[in-house]
Amino acid sequence: MIKVTAIETGKARMKTAQRTGRDDRGPIGRKLDIFRDRDWVEPLPILCFLIEHPEGRFLVDTGDTWRNSVPGYLPGWNPFYRQVSIKVAPHEEIGPRLLAMGIDPTGIGTVILTHFHHDHTGGLDHFPHARIIGPRANHAVSTGVRGMMMGCLPQRWPVWLAPELVDMDGPALGPFPASHPVTRDGRIVLVPTPGHVAGHVSVIVRADDVTYFLAGDATYSQANLVAEKTDGVTNDPAASLATLRAIKRFAADEPTVLLPAHDPEGPQRLAARRPLL
Ligand SMILES: [Zn+2]
């Protein structure tokens, strides 16, 4: 028996031009569009997903932290951080959320990061004793000043953080050219979904009745996936588009519930087991 639960850990707002980039714009043009944009999307959830599996409890992404709003937490020299608004109350962080569900965070055996953006790593502090898995190819572009320019806050990571960096070294999986199994039974498996950032991975969970596709930020919404609309922050729109098409092809082969990290409709789809196609 495998169970997936969505956990909302606060809200994020972004410009409309970040959620949906213009097809005819390259990476730099898309970022200029975000700075010029006066329109903000509605507050979006920052979602983590708990997977209860016979081999243990797995958590996909950790959300952000209330400290994000403390003056000085974000690097003031990077104006991009002012194009996103994070609102997390202390009790909305993933640790207190799990406790409210009756789960001690120390009971999470494995944390899986889809990528190292701050709204996915901000809750790592709650898991000093867990195995933490992250994609090596994304970690490589997430450290140092480069990471701080690209939406990561490596200077805020817990001092003990030493993630188990994984490569996509397993066999092809449907339209995905490679994979990386997380569990011995292969029912939790990572696949490469680059584009939003280099090295981004998604988590496929094959439950008994349906497959879940925990997409991280590979797409911000199912509507954008279906319309093949890439986001405004990608440095590689072609890779982003190829990822969206691969996810659609995957979902065409087996009933798949799409669960991005910031899609307000994801939790209802999860509750209804409503597949993408
Ligand atoms: Zn991201």
Side-chain angles (χ1 to χ4, degrees):
M1 181 70 184
I2 295 173
K3 185 180 174 198
V4 175
T5 306
I7 305 170
E8 184 176 322
T9 59
K11 298 285 192 190
R13 296 188 80 178
M14 60 181 74
K15 302 285 190 70
T16 60
Q18 176 170 345
R19 178 160 65 184
T20 311
R22 268 171 51 186
D23 294 339
D24 60 340
R25 298 284 259 171
I28 294 170
R30 286 171 190 237
K31 288 176 187 70
L32 290 174
D33 289 343
I34 293 171
F35 278 93
R36 290 192 191 117
D37 192 357
R38 301 255 174 256
D39 294 328
W40 293 76
V41 304
E42 74 277 19
L44 302 177
I46 305 172
L47 297 170
C48 307
F49 292 93
L50 172 68
I51 309 167
E52 293 170 276
H53 180 284
E55 293 176 34
R57 287 194 173 109
F58 299 76
L59 183 75
V60 177
D61 291 327
T62 68
D64 215 315
T65 168
W66 69 271
R67 293 174 297 140
N68 185 291
S69 54
V70 174
Y73 181 81
L74 297 170
W77 52 264
N78 185 344
F80 193 78
Y81 289 103
R82 292 192 284 277
Q83 312 307 309
V84 174
S85 165
I86 301 289
K87 289 192 175 177
V88 180
H91 76 278
E92 293 178 303
E93 287 193 3
I94 184 62
R97 283 292 199 221
L98 286 166
L99 283 168
M101 294 164 61
I103 297 172
D104 190 308
T106 58
I108 301 292
T110 304
V111 172
I112 301 170
L113 299 174
T114 59
H115 63 304
F116 285 83
H117 272 164
H118 62 82
D119 54 325
H120 298 252
T121 59
L124 282 170
D125 308 81
H126 296 288
F127 307 100
H129 311 297
R131 174 189 181 207
I132 296 170
I133 297 177
R136 186 188 312 278
N138 180 251
H139 184 266
V141 296
S142 300
T143 57
V145 173
R146 172 160 69 167
M148 292 165 73
M149 289 177 70
M150 301 295 292
C152 305
L153 300 175
Q155 77 280 24
R156 303 298 184 196
W157 292 347
V159 293
W160 45 257
L161 182 66
E164 184 181 320
L165 299 176
V166 299
D167 298 299
M168 297 300 105
D169 49 7
L173 200 167
F176 300 101
S179 64
H180 182 87
V182 174
T183 51
R184 289 186 293 281
D185 68 2
R187 297 181 87 168
I188 302 178
V189 58
L190 310 182
V191 291
T193 49
H196 172 70
V197 284
H200 185 286
V201 299
S202 294
V203 185
I204 292 172
V205 182
R206 285 184 161 136
D208 293 328
D209 50 346
V210 74
T211 294
Y212 299 98
F213 197 97
L214 280 51
D217 290 353
T219 183
Y220 285 132
S221 71
Q222 178 157 306
N224 274 12
L225 178 94
V226 169
E228 300 187 358
K229 291 286 186 188
T230 55
D231 70 31
V233 292
T234 179
N235 285 326
D236 192 342
S240 285
L241 180 59
T243 285
L244 298 183
R245 289 176 172 164
I247 297 171
K248 287 173 79 175
R249 283 204 299 279
F250 178 85
D253 288 340
E254 58 189 80
T256 299
V257 179
L258 180 75
L259 299 172
H262 302 292
D263 186 344
E265 295 171 3
Q268 294 107 287
R269 290 197 300 270
L270 172 60
R273 310 275 186 278
R274 190 181 311 131
L276 177 56
L277 296 170

